[in-house]
Amino acid sequence: MSPDSKLSRLCRLVDSLPGPETTKTKERDLLISLSQILKEIQAWIRELDKETESKKKCYGESVLHHEEHSCLIKIVTDLMLLLIVESQYVQHLVGNVLVVFSEFVALSGSGWDSLIHSLCTCLELAIANVLFCSWEPSRTGVEDSNCDFSSYVVLKSSLKSGDWSTAAGMVRVLRNILKHLKQECDDQLLEVYVGSVSSFLSNVPWESMDEIHVDQICYTWDGDPQNCCSKDASVFRCFGAKEPKVLFLGNFIQLLCSLVEQSGAVETEVGSQVQYPVLSMVISLVPKLAHWCLSKQGKSVMLPVSQYFRHKLLMLMLRISYKTCLDCSTLILWLQLLHEHFEELLQKPISKLEAGQDECLEGSPFLLGLSNGELDGMHSFHLQRQTLLLFLRCCFSLMSLTGETSKQCETSKTILKSCLTLGSVSDLDYCSRNKGLLELYNWLQGHLPDDILVDHERYLEKCMGFSLSFLQLYLHEDDVLFKVLLQLLNVPSCSEQWLNGDKKTSQYLKDATHHVSNLFNPVYLFHLFLAELHYDHQVLLDYLISKDIGISCAEYLLRCLRMVHNSWNIFAAFSMDWKVLNQSCCKKRRLLLDVSDFQGELSSLPVQCISQSLGEEDEKDFEYAYENHQNKRPPFKEAKDCLISLKGSVESLHRKNLFPYNPQVLLKRFVFSSSIIFILSQQH
């Protein structure tokens, strides 16, 4: 059977389905019919796969005739109408049918443009219907013969009853199609898809949705966990009749996250710069999404769905920040959004997590557990990690911007004045870098001991204490760990710009740069990172061969090896003396004398002086730890042995062709750095 005849057969099958007014008694028959259609399309796909194995894909070689195009439009509209059915099972199955239908159309070699454009047009019409406004749908990238006015009339008349359920279902379908395209790695199909979705994003008057707020939608919740959702239920399935609006926003953010991830397929070169049309549109939607999903109108409570939106919005902003260089105004706007909607996470204490304290993302996307009618979501460490990573990226991006004119930084001047005392404002040369540094420094001051700037003798000790706590916060989440470690490798370059930069830079900013450089010293962080792994090269090897974080770990190690070579004296002088006392009595928690009460190196203090303030059992624990410390090798030698062992393991796997990627660049850096480290270590 040819693709054309299959299209006609599918049109007849879909036409025979019951309409959206299906009662519950007919729901079972509808589900059976949809399942049969799904299986038949999947069988056609398997046939086409076999046919195309021995020949080149014929995408774009043929165009649908008028009858075939009308048939395709009818299939789409009839299935769209079923998304109005209240049954989530029907909606889910209809979505699956549309996704496999898109796979069939892609393999058949014709009609892909028409299908994707009709899906986007249906989504526009559904949104226009619920917002009580109308506009002409875009026809970008589609032949006029295949998407003429008559097709639009058919779609519009068929979807006049479209609602939030229809829109939410359509967005879910588009996202699932995009996930399939990612697996297929077909640039032509992806380009058409992204082009149509981009036209949809640019065509919808999003300002018409400004009256939608998630907290208003969810206000009917009575605070009883039993009336919310269980850990095994969808995070969206708990808000009664107004739920489809929440579903639409949740699916829409998910679609944007996936779209940003695939944005490189539609890059366009303009002069010497590469611009991403999709990214520009999504960036403009970020403030609106925050307004729709996170704005607090009157009395509201933090619901699981609110936490989910916070998680997804952070994910979206982070993905954008890794895809393109954000301009000054966008970075400052995002910092404002972080302060407005994530301030409690920015100010949440950074402390080491106890065993079992960190949560896992199980069941629903962001349901951490309910107790006494209150949600524990506000204490999510995952959200804290994401928030701090985005905050750091915004700050360091602002600090590294160059060539900013006074006109470009006009927006930041007003903000900066509110961050500084009146005396220091007059010394500043307002620019984006000021804003980034001051945001970062002000945040750090909220997490540091009050006396850290006065107690010069223990200053570095307290800096490393903060660095260790910060590192331990991220050790529970590997992918975010290496992102933040790579981000903090930029500290030296940003600091150098300030300390050796414009003479007009105030002493206040230079002092802030000095503190930031010490608190996030990449050499110290590398030492602490290896120490937290107990210098176990097998753990590093697991990181390197990981499918998800292997490349990030390799990049981090490459840059750290180069950094160690360039900063050998700092690397070799690193000491862990300040950690000894805290480790000695960690089980009893009865230590009366904190490490912050000592001045200078711990090794210079007599054990008797310390043990006077300890109990008998604690004294024995301390003496044991102290003796072990006295006999322990210097950290740089532990690190050296760990890296050399890692080099041997990587070489062994590479010789056996068991390493998942080519590690030659990493091995060359290992060989060069190991020889230099060995020579320099002989001098210590």
Side-chain angles (χ1 to χ4, degrees), residues 438-458:
L438 290 171
E439 281 280 352
L440 182 58
Y441 187 48
N442 289 339
W443 171 76
L444 285 170
Q445 285 181 315
H447 292 276
L448 297 173
D450 295 334
D451 62 342
I452 189 171
L453 303 181
V454 218
D455 192 354
H456 301 290
E457 294 184 4
R458 298 194 325 264

Side-chain angles (χ1 to χ4, degrees), residues 119-131:
L119 292 175
C120 291
T121 302
C122 287
L123 180 55
E124 287 188 40
L125 291 170
I127 294 176
N129 192 55
V130 294
L131 295 179

Side-chain angles (χ1 to χ4, degrees), residues 500-569:
N500 301 324
D502 195 338
K503 295 181 180 180
K504 295 181 180 180
T505 302
S506 70
Q507 187 60 42
Y508 180 82
L509 288 178
K510 290 183 178 180
D511 291 342
T513 305
H514 173 73
H515 299 313
V516 169
S517 302
N518 288 326
L519 289 164
F520 290 129
N521 187 307
V523 178
Y524 295 160
L525 282 172
F526 184 49
H527 258 302
L528 293 172
F529 170 65
L530 295 177
E532 285 298 300
L533 302 182
H534 303 289
Y535 301 103
D536 187 350
H537 74 282
Q538 293 289 350
V539 179
L540 287 174
L541 185 62
D542 288 341
Y543 284 148
L544 284 174
I545 64 178
S546 168
K547 179 183 177 181
D548 299 321
I549 60 173
I551 301 300
S552 298
C553 179
E555 181 184 356
Y556 178 66
L557 287 177
L558 279 170
R559 294 179 64 180
C560 283
L561 289 172
R562 187 182 301 111
M563 175 185 65
V564 168
H565 171 253
N566 296 333
S567 309
W568 171 254
N569 290 334

Side-chain angles (χ1 to χ4, degrees), residues 322 389 393 396 479-492 522 525 549 551-560:
Y322 281 103
L389 175 58
R393 286 192 63 77
F396 283 113
D479 55 340
V480 189
L481 167 66
F482 285 102
K483 286 180 180 179
V484 78
L485 287 174
L486 285 168
Q487 182 64 53
L488 293 176
L489 285 175
N490 297 323
V491 170
L525 282 172
I549 60 173
I551 301 300
S552 298
C553 179
E555 181 184 356
Y556 178 66
L557 287 177
L558 279 170
R559 294 179 64 180
C560 283

Side-chain angles (χ1 to χ4, degrees), residues 111-350:
W112 176 256
D113 304 56
S114 299
L115 173 65
I116 298 302
H117 183 79
S118 62
L119 292 175
C120 291
T121 302
C122 287
L123 180 55
E124 287 188 40
L125 291 170
I127 294 176
N129 192 55
V130 294
L131 295 179
F132 304 105
C133 58
S134 62
W135 59 88
E136 285 295 319
S138 172
R139 301 184 182 184
T140 303
V142 181
E143 297 293 335
D144 290 342
S145 60
N146 284 352
C147 191
D148 54 13
F149 182 74
S150 60
S151 298
Y152 170 71
V153 171
V154 172
L155 292 172
K156 186 174 182 179
S157 60
S158 301
L159 290 171
K160 57 185 178 181
S161 57
D163 56 9
W164 284 118
S165 291
T166 310
M170 274 308 313
V171 173
R172 185 173 61 252
V173 168
L174 286 172
R175 179 172 179 263
N176 289 336
I177 291 175
L178 182 57
K179 289 168 65 177
H180 172 72
L181 290 179
K182 180 182 177 182
Q183 298 172 354
E184 292 296 313
C185 300
D186 191 314
D187 291 341
Q188 281 186 298
L189 297 177
L190 186 59
E191 185 176 354
V192 172
Y193 174 94
V194 175
S196 293
V197 175
S198 299
S199 299
F200 152 71
L201 292 175
S202 61
N203 203 39
V204 174
W206 297 108
E207 61 277 0
S208 301
M209 291 182 59
D210 285 348
E211 295 183 0
I212 299 175
H213 302 284
V214 167
D215 64 313
Q216 290 179 332
I217 297 171
C218 305
Y219 184 71
T220 56
W221 185 55
D222 59 8
D224 186 353
Q226 301 301 323
N227 295 333
C228 188
C229 51
S230 66
K231 292 185 177 180
D232 297 326
S234 169
V235 74
F236 299 123
R237 301 287 178 184
C238 52
F239 301 108
K242 296 183 179 180
E243 171 197 343
K245 296 181 182 179
V246 183
L247 279 171
F248 169 77
L249 288 176
N251 292 339
F252 187 54
I253 295 181
Q254 288 178 337
L255 173 64
L256 294 180
C257 286
S258 301
L259 200 60
V260 167
E261 191 176 4
Q262 300 298 316
S263 60
V266 291
E267 65 183 36
T268 57
E269 293 191 7
V270 180
S272 60
Q273 296 182 340
V274 177
Q275 294 184 353
Y276 301 91
V278 178
L279 285 179
S280 300
M281 283 180 254
V282 177
I283 289 172
S284 66
L285 282 173
V286 168
K288 294 183 180 296
L289 288 168
H291 177 67
W292 300 333
C293 301
L294 304 179
S295 292
K296 296 179 175 60
Q297 302 292 322
K299 181 181 179 181
S300 61
V301 291
M302 185 63 66
L303 301 171
V305 71
S306 302
Q307 292 296 70
Y308 176 78
F309 280 130
R310 280 150 62 94
H311 162 65
K312 279 299 181 182
L313 192 59
L314 286 170
M315 179 186 293
L316 176 62
M317 296 164 77
L318 281 170
R319 286 190 180 181
I320 294 172
S321 72
Y322 281 103
K323 283 290 183 180
T324 186
C325 293
L326 300 171
D327 57 36
C328 176
S329 58
T330 300
L331 291 168
I332 292 177
L333 175 59
W334 283 16
L335 285 172
Q336 289 177 321
L337 292 176
L338 285 174
H339 285 301
E340 182 177 353
H341 302 292
F342 303 90
E343 185 66 25
E344 85 284 358
L345 293 170
L346 288 173
Q347 300 305 324
K348 182 180 177 181
I350 297 174

Side-chain angles (χ1 to χ4, degrees), residues 359-385:
E359 77 284 345
C360 299
L361 301 183
E362 299 177 353
S364 58
F366 231 79
L367 196 57
L368 306 180
L370 305 171
S371 61
N372 300 325
E374 296 181 354
L375 296 171
D376 194 33
M378 291 187 65
H379 304 290
S380 165
F381 291 103
H382 177 74
L383 273 180
Q384 184 185 19
R385 295 182 196 113

